[in-house]
Amino acid sequence: MAYPISTSLTISAQFLYRAYLSCHALQARKPQLLDALQCSEPELRDPGFQLGDDAIASLCAATRDELNRTDIHSAIGKNMVPSCFSDLGFAAHFQPSFGEALLQLVEEQGLGGEKPTVKLLSLSSDDRLVWNHDRPVSPDLIHIVFALICHSGEVLSDGRFRTVKAVHFAHPRPDGFRCLPERNLRDDPVPCYFNRPSNFLEYHPMAMARPMPHHNPEIISATERQRAIFARGRFERENIAKLTYEYLLHLLDKSGLSLDAAAMTFGMAERTLRRKLVAEGLSYRQLLEQVRRDTCNLYFLEGTRNLSEIAAKLGYSELSAFTRAYTSWYGHPPSQDACASTALAA
């Protein structure tokens, strides 16, 4: 399967896959969504697959028709807030400051190629996250990205400080638009302004400098090492082991972990994928175990989940299966590992 080359702003299939799952969670039917996207679910799981921003516009149009509602962007973005290490941007929770966390969150979404999607602009009166692309882009994409940032910011702040002060858009107000970030009932809605010179999120003073209570340098270092495994040659077909590692990493708590599902995603026969991996010195099972081991270490460093939840997030149907796997990795069960003490207590 050849990767399409888009002349518009590129978005990773992984970002689109999460938006697609979010639309389905809102009760939009998968066949109708896939028909609008003109691609298959396996293609959306492919870490090397990229599309243009028109794919987001098609997805939103299909969701509006399916649900017979126009105010969908905030709900889609809210469902895309990362909640575990298999989600793009979750490692941002462990950055030193709120501003650094938001910038990393957006950077990991796979939008716009090498150029950062947003940039931080500090003024005397406030801080702004400014949309950083000059080329025309679908308003649907900007709405979803800004909704994702807003909702993620509420999770990161955890009620300790005020975050978004106002949202500004360069395009006209869409028909039926209500609001972008949904706020608690005790809060006033965040004002949204249209036909502005640029797209940006305006934050309350000093919000970006706020320290993160869960800052963890060990997790930052570990996730950087994990990303480095497949950083070079990321979208090269001949580097199938790195593609497979990334594919598995973002599907551990979702569907698609089987060899035949991966082969379908990469557009090849199961035996062909197996042969290519062996030629690179790894088997599919070895890669899956490596991804699970690496990610298990992150959950132990995080220290907020019990063993049953960790097992589920690593793709094990039962805690006993995780215990057997852990024992095969380290020669002892997690109950005898000091690193798992917090998980055991939880």
Side-chain angles (χ1 to χ4, degrees):
M1 179 181 64
Y3 293 141
I5 300 175
S6 175
T7 56
S8 63
L9 183 77
T10 58
I11 57 176
S12 70
Q14 291 168 322
F15 178 86
L16 188 61
Y17 183 54
R18 288 172 57 228
Y20 158 79
L21 292 179
S22 176
C23 293
H24 178 60
L26 296 175
Q27 305 302 315
R29 292 171 292 176
K30 285 187 175 181
Q32 279 67 21
L33 297 177
L34 293 172
D35 184 61
L37 292 171
Q38 296 185 327
C39 65
S40 66
E41 191 165 314
E43 285 178 316
L44 292 179
R45 294 196 297 255
D46 187 342
F49 196 69
Q50 292 188 316
L51 302 96
D53 63 298
D54 54 336
I56 282 287
S58 298
L59 182 71
C60 288
T63 304
R64 293 188 194 98
D65 291 343
E66 277 285 286
L67 305 181
N68 193 27
R69 55 181 284 194
T70 55
D71 57 328
I72 58 172
H73 300 104
S74 184
I76 292 173
K78 188 173 185 179
N79 285 338
M80 294 174 66
V81 172
S83 62
C84 67
F85 285 106
S86 289
D87 293 337
L88 297 169
F90 183 74
H93 286 70
F94 309 100
Q95 288 291 325
S97 70
F98 181 74
E100 290 172 286
L102 288 185
L103 287 174
Q104 182 180 339
L105 173 86
V106 181
E107 179 186 352
E108 293 186 17
Q109 300 306 312
L111 302 168
E114 297 298 321
K115 186 176 182 179
T117 306
V118 296
K119 62 181 178 182
L120 179 59
L121 181 62
S122 295
L123 304 175
S124 57
S125 58
D126 56 59
D127 290 319
R128 299 178 179 181
L129 278 185
V130 182
W131 187 261
N132 196 32
H133 288 270
D134 297 328
R135 68 180 64 178
V137 65
S138 165
D140 288 310
L141 177 61
I142 297 175
H143 283 199
I144 289 178
V145 173
F146 278 12
L148 171 61
I149 297 173
C150 290
H151 289 301
S152 297
E154 293 298 309
V155 172
L156 290 167
S157 70
D158 196 24
R160 294 177 296 113
F161 54 89
R162 301 184 72 184
T163 59
V164 178
K165 184 178 179 180
V167 186
H168 302 256
F169 297 108
H171 49 264
R173 176 184 291 269
D175 293 338
F177 182 93
R178 296 182 184 176
C179 64
L180 189 60
E182 298 164 352
R183 304 296 293 268
N184 296 328
L185 293 177
R186 67 178 184 274
D187 296 329
D188 295 328
V190 176
C192 292
Y193 303 104
F194 294 86
N195 295 312
R196 295 303 172 103
S198 61
N199 300 290
F200 64 93
L201 294 164
E202 179 184 357
Y203 282 81
H204 287 280
M206 302 304 296
M208 292 297 177
R210 294 276 188 165
M212 289 291 94
H214 303 297
H215 171 51
N216 190 321
E218 287 186 276
I219 290 181
I220 294 173
S221 296
T223 54
E224 287 175 352
R225 290 194 300 270
Q226 195 175 33
R227 282 194 294 270
I229 292 175
F230 49 79
R232 286 175 295 182
R234 184 172 179 177
F235 301 123
E236 294 176 3
R237 273 296 180 191
E238 59 270 21
N239 206 332
I240 196 69
K242 291 181 180 179
L243 267 173
T244 304
Y245 185 102
E246 186 175 6
Y247 166 84
L248 292 169
L249 175 62
H250 295 296
L251 291 176
L252 282 180
D253 63 333
K254 304 172 181 68
S255 62
L257 292 183
S258 65
L259 176 60
D260 61 329
M264 184 181 299
T265 291
F266 296 139
M268 61 184 71
E270 183 179 323
R271 64 180 179 275
T272 303
L273 175 57
R274 185 186 293 112
R275 175 174 53 80
K276 286 179 176 289
L277 289 173
V278 170
E280 294 183 15
L282 288 167
S283 71
Y284 187 81
R285 181 173 183 81
Q286 285 175 320
L287 277 169
L288 178 56
E289 291 302 294
Q290 182 181 350
V291 173
R292 281 172 162 165
R293 269 199 318 274
D294 293 346
T295 311
C296 176
N297 178 52
L298 295 177
Y299 284 122
F300 283 173
L301 290 173
E302 181 188 21
T304 62
R305 307 176 197 254
N306 61 42
L307 287 180
S308 294
E309 185 179 0
I310 292 173
K313 292 297 183 185
L314 296 177
Y316 294 102
S317 57
E318 297 178 353
L319 177 58
S320 58
F322 168 57
T323 301
R324 288 194 298 271
Y326 193 94
T327 303
S328 70
W329 300 339
Y330 301 111
H332 58 264
S335 58
Q336 297 179 17
D337 198 327
C339 294
S341 58
T342 304
L344 290 167

